[in-house]
């Protein structure tokens, strides 16, 4: 019988991260579908809370894009492509929120379709990131894997030294 090849730590970590990206993407897809077909009901209080929360989130996405663009120190820590991809999402959400605030009495159709479109775009972004980051991992991921491997090596050396000290 042929033995199965064990996955190394790096590949296992990549699978975990890509699985998280895909899980988030699937959650947004399901939410978008449930919004479109009307399974998740529209509530005026929920829609207003959603508008205020997403306004803050979209402002952060836009701010983070410009921060990454103009700060070389910050750009060195993040994946700039992710910031570029999220920038239109932030602009779209902010536009939706501003229209919702101007037209304060949201109609059910406006809220249902607007939120579904936003969720579908986020689904596409996270699906793309899952595929792209499989081939080109993020800087933060590579640094975390390297730190974990160093920590494992150090703890392995300490255990070996402790075992040698106990044996004498």
């Amino acid at each position: 019988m042929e033995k199965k090849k064990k996955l190394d730590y790096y590949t296992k970590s990549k699978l975990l991260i890509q699985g998280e990206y895909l899980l988030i993407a699937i959650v947004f897809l399901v939410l978008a579908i449930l919004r479109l077909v009307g399974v998740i009901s529209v509530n005026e209080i929920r829609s207003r809370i959603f508008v205020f929360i997403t306004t803050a989130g979209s402002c952060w996405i836009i701010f983070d894009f410009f921060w990454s663009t103009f700060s070389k120190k910050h750009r060195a820590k993040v994946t700039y492509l992710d910031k570029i991809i999220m920038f239109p999402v932030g602009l779209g959400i902010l536009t939706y929120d501003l229209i919702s605030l101007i037209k304060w009495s949201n109609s059910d159709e406006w809220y249902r379709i607007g939120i579904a479109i936003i969720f579908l775009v986020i689904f596409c972004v996270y699906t793309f990131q899952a595929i792209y980051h499989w081939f080109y991992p993020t800087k933060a991921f590579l640094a975390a894997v390297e730190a974990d491997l160093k920590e494992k090596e150090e703890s392995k050396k300490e255990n070996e030294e402790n075992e040698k000290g106990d044996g004498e």
Side-chain angles (χ1 to χ4, degrees), residues 44-110:
E44 188 174 337
I45 294 172
R46 278 191 210 161
S47 66
R48 291 184 183 189
I49 291 171
F50 182 84
V51 165
F52 286 115
I53 290 172
T54 55
T55 299
S58 63
C59 288
W60 171 254
I61 291 171
I62 294 167
F63 170 77
D64 194 32
F65 169 75
F66 285 115
W67 184 20
S68 300
T69 301
F70 296 115
S71 172
K72 291 181 182 180
K73 186 177 179 182
H74 183 63
R75 192 178 323 141
K77 296 178 184 178
V78 299
T79 304
Y80 192 57
L81 179 65
D82 291 350
K83 304 303 177 186
I84 292 171
I85 291 172
M86 287 303 287
F87 183 68
V89 174
L91 286 178
I93 293 171
L94 186 62
T95 303
Y96 170 82
D97 290 341
L98 289 175
I99 292 170
S100 296
L101 289 171
I102 292 168
K103 184 184 159 196
W104 189 249
S105 58
N106 285 340
S107 68
D108 293 346
E109 280 300 302
W110 170 254

Side-chain angles (χ1 to χ4, degrees), residues 124-138:
C124 293
V125 166
Y126 274 97
T127 303
F128 170 78
Q129 286 180 341
I131 296 167
Y132 178 79
H133 289 309
W134 176 260
F135 299 105
Y136 304 101
T138 63

Side-chain angles (χ1 to χ4, degrees), residues 133-149:
H133 289 309
W134 176 260
F135 299 105
Y136 304 101
T138 63
K139 297 171 188 175
F141 171 75
L142 294 173
V145 167
E146 186 177 317
D148 283 348
L149 290 175

